[in-house]
Amino acid sequence: MKKSSKIIVVSVDAMVYEDLKYLKELPNFKKMYENGSIVKRTKTIYPSVTYPAHTTMSTGAYPNKHGLINNLEFLPGQLKNVPWKWFADAVKCPDIFTAAKKAGYTTAAVFWPVTGCHKYIDYLVDEYWPQSPDDTPKDCYLRSGTSEELYDYAVKPYMEGLKIRSHPATDDFLINCSCDIIKRYKPDLLMIHPANIDSYRHRSGVYSELVTEGLKEVDRWIGQLVDATKQAGVYDITDFFIVSDHGQINIVRSVKPNVKLADNGFITYDSDGKLTDWKAYCHSTGMSSEVHLKNPEDKETYDAVYKLLLEMRDEGIYGIGEVYTAEQTDALEHLNGDFSFMLETDGYSSFSDDWMRPYCKPLDVSDYRFGHATHGYHPDKGPQPTFIAFGPDIKSGVVIERRPTVDEAPTYAKILGVEMPWADGVAIDEILK
């Protein structure tokens, strides 16, 4: 491939193949769709949640290699304000940014998950928000890897009135930042993550008028990015990739398997409901949940917890469709970590970390795991993410039914002419000239 090629990756969180029926009628996406190539449905990773999925999309590796298995830190007993996996040091293997930078390319990322303080990203605006009322937005971005120069040029002008994690305001902000980065710095690799579609699906269900309006926003942002490359004089050498990380499924309730663990003595709490100790604890990923043991070597507890979880599955009322051991998830879906079991949804329930009754609770749109639709389930379920490619290095008209998301970063690497020897995936050669 030409060493002069540039790459822009836009990951539209929770966009699915079915969305393309409407998107391909919109002016900016339509041109890419009609002149590019597509993988109709990509297979994401297990659990199908944003931060592990995006880490796979940038590393070309599965979770058992890159180490991201949950959006959130594991802090038993803490139900609110749990830190996310914002920073790049959580990732245990290199990624496409590393490969590109070491080969002499310039790199950029705007709100691409798990890139905070990434030493191989030249122009970085991390998806990271203030952690306290005293934490200023500027301090927040500088702390997570944005330089003073980049903040003043591409971030500060768009901060007024911004409320992080509100949509589409947050997405307008990050697209504006991205366009300014393109126009001034012309990076060779830029990866961007808007999340409006994900938010709208959590709020209103998988398919809704709100989601349709969100697709119009996505088309507008694609137009802005294309215009920015034209203003920068790099449009003719830029390959665009419009991708997504997971789908969503509608749910009707949230369930609390930690209640049953407490009933059986594996969790204890005081008269105020505060957790005092635990032997086993469920850590939600939405429509799946990782079951941790405080002492994984305690075979008596392991066997007792496993027996209880299987009984809950078989009774059919606790929201559990399947129970996997960590050995099973590793063999079947390349997933392991410091958990012992994985609970898979019954198809209409999500999992909470709460240990207090009642066992079921109503939906709550303030947390992505408990909205009207969510994800985290096995990657073969539900509407699937998709992958569209367009540009000077991309063939026109190639249609592929399915490829795994581990193949995405190796595809970018092949265009740039760089190596990713750690990757589990391979380049999607069929779409490349």
Side-chain angles (χ1 to χ4, degrees), residues 5-12 15 29 32 37-39 57 112 188-192 194 222 225 238-244 386-395 407-416 428 431-432:
S5 298
K6 295 182 182 294
I7 292 173
I8 295 177
V9 181
V10 183
S11 176
V12 183
M15 182 179 70
F29 184 85
M32 291 188 181
S37 290
I38 181 174
V39 178
M57 292 159 70
W112 192 271
D188 298 307
L189 172 67
L190 168 61
M191 301 180 78
I192 311 164
I222 292 171
L225 293 166
T238 298
D239 295 312
F240 293 87
F241 295 86
I242 312 299
V243 304
S244 53
T386 189
F387 174 99
I388 298 93
F390 166 80
D393 297 304
I394 307 300
K395 293 178 182 177
D407 290 349
E408 295 178 11
T411 303
Y412 313 145
K414 189 159 189 177
I415 291 172
L416 295 173
I428 308 172
I431 70 170
L432 300 179

Side-chain angles (χ1 to χ4, degrees), residues 216-370:
K216 294 178 184 177
E217 295 164 358
V218 170
D219 187 71
R220 171 165 55 84
W221 296 327
I222 292 171
Q224 287 181 246
L225 293 166
V226 167
D227 287 346
T229 62
K230 290 178 178 178
Q231 291 178 50
V234 298
Y235 173 76
D236 291 336
I237 59 169
T238 298
D239 295 312
F240 293 87
F241 295 86
I242 312 299
V243 304
S244 53
D245 55 347
H246 55 69
Q248 290 197 26
I249 293 176
N250 289 331
I251 61 173
V252 298
R253 64 175 186 168
S254 178
V255 297
K256 307 175 184 177
N258 278 333
V259 167
K260 289 291 289 182
L261 292 180
D263 288 347
N264 286 269
F266 299 112
I267 291 175
T268 57
Y269 54 88
D270 61 22
S271 58
D272 294 324
K274 183 178 179 180
L275 187 144
T276 56
D277 202 1
W278 62 282
K279 292 184 177 180
Y281 189 92
C282 294
H283 185 34
S284 171
T285 54
M287 296 182 77
S288 60
S289 187
E290 298 153 357
V291 185
H292 296 254
L293 300 184
K294 195 169 189 178
N295 180 6
E297 305 304 317
D298 180 353
K299 189 175 186 307
E300 182 179 353
T301 297
Y302 181 101
D303 290 343
V305 170
Y306 193 24
K307 179 174 182 290
L308 173 63
L309 297 176
L310 293 176
E311 290 172 351
M312 293 170 67
R313 177 201 65 185
D314 294 343
E315 196 161 350
I317 63 173
Y318 294 104
I320 300 172
E322 189 53 87
V323 179
Y324 300 109
T325 65
E327 291 76 18
Q328 289 173 319
T329 61
D330 195 17
L332 296 172
E333 299 299 337
H334 314 281
L335 169 69
N336 63 28
D338 56 358
F339 63 92
S340 296
F341 311 103
M342 179 72 85
L343 306 182
E344 173 66 12
T345 181
D346 57 7
Y348 58 90
S349 306
S350 69
F351 297 105
S352 167
D353 292 355
D354 196 357
W355 54 88
M356 298 296 293
R357 291 190 181 280
Y359 185 82
C360 298
K361 72 172 192 174
L363 301 180
D364 175 8
V365 297
S366 68
D367 188 311
Y368 80 92
R369 295 171 294 179
F370 316 132

Side-chain angles (χ1 to χ4, degrees), residues 174-194:
L174 69 91
I175 294 296
N176 286 330
C177 293
S178 299
C179 289
D180 281 2
I181 288 171
I182 292 167
K183 286 181 281 189
R184 173 174 285 192
Y185 301 109
K186 305 177 185 181
D188 298 307
L189 172 67
L190 168 61
M191 301 180 78
I192 311 164
H193 171 231

Side-chain angles (χ1 to χ4, degrees), residues 110-126:
V110 181
F111 274 51
W112 192 271
V114 206
T115 56
C117 297
H118 196 306
K119 64 181 180 179
Y120 294 109
I121 299 178
D122 297 299
Y123 309 107
L124 173 61
V125 183
D126 189 35

Side-chain angles (χ1 to χ4, degrees), residues 119-138:
K119 64 181 180 179
Y120 294 109
I121 299 178
D122 297 299
Y123 309 107
L124 173 61
V125 183
D126 189 35
E127 184 174 81
Y128 177 66
W129 45 87
Q131 301 301 296
S132 72
D134 299 327
D135 198 7
T136 70
K138 181 176 181 179

